[in-house]
Amino acid sequence: MTEYKKPIPTPDGDSKTFWDGCSEGKLLIQKCNDCKNHIFYPREVCPHCMSDQLNWVEASGKGKVYSYTIARRAAHPSLIEDVPYIVALIELDEGVRLMSNIINCDVEEVRCDMDVKVIFQKQEGMVLPKFELV
């Protein structure tokens, strides 16, 4: 019998600092030194002004549910035990959006614009940012 493991991200040159931050319990995002905009997903140049002068900063970890869906069928065999689960687009207070899960709540109580905060969860040898309702 094949044992399925949950899919996990593959850190690369652009995202390694983000994943290293998660393993330390920090939600790191980029900020452009030139136009001062926050950036997520990690990249080499600012999508707003094309500057390559980017720094990593620690985000507050607070935000709102921008959009979400309740997965009632597993997207992967390893997720069968998690059904139903929420896949959400979270808008951080810094203005960037990232996709994650909302956990530790009844899936039926989640709504757009609800306040959330980041928590970190170990999964398959990585630490992933997930969110809880505030």
Side-chain angles (χ1 to χ4, degrees):
M1 177 196 273
T2 303
E3 180 180 324
Y4 285 101
K5 291 186 175 186
K6 291 183 179 181
I8 58 169
T10 303
D12 61 18
D14 293 338
S15 68
K16 183 179 183 323
T17 301
F18 173 78
W19 295 113
D20 289 347
C22 289
S23 69
E24 297 172 10
K26 297 177 182 178
L27 186 61
L28 300 179
I29 59 175
Q30 292 173 301
K31 185 173 182 178
C32 178
N33 290 337
D34 290 336
C35 72
K36 308 302 182 206
N37 282 302
H38 288 96
I39 302 161
F40 190 84
Y41 58 90
R43 56 191 99 187
E44 291 185 22
V45 297
C46 175
H48 306 283
C49 72
M50 302 307 289
S51 171
D52 64 355
Q53 300 301 304
L54 307 178
N55 280 330
W56 288 93
V57 296
E58 187 171 359
S60 67
K62 298 175 184 175
K64 292 190 179 291
V65 178
Y66 181 81
S67 183
Y68 71 97
T69 188
I70 300 172
R72 298 185 189 279
R73 295 179 67 186
H76 185 275
S78 66
L79 301 173
I80 290 172
E81 293 179 9
D82 296 337
V83 171
Y85 58 91
I86 295 179
V87 178
L89 192 57
I90 305 298
E91 185 164 38
L92 295 178
D93 287 353
E94 292 79 9
V96 298
R97 295 180 188 147
L98 65 118
M99 190 171 291
S100 186
N101 299 107
I102 299 175
I103 61 173
N104 301 330
C105 67
D106 178 346
V107 297
E108 300 298 336
E109 71 180 284
V110 174
R111 297 287 179 267
C112 289
D113 293 324
M114 291 183 99
D115 292 326
V116 292
K117 66 177 181 178
V118 72
I119 62 169
F120 295 93
Q121 188 176 64
K122 192 168 188 173
Q123 178 177 310
E124 306 297 334
M126 283 192 80
V127 178
L128 305 177
K130 307 266 178 126
F131 288 81
E132 291 182 318
L133 299 176
V134 174

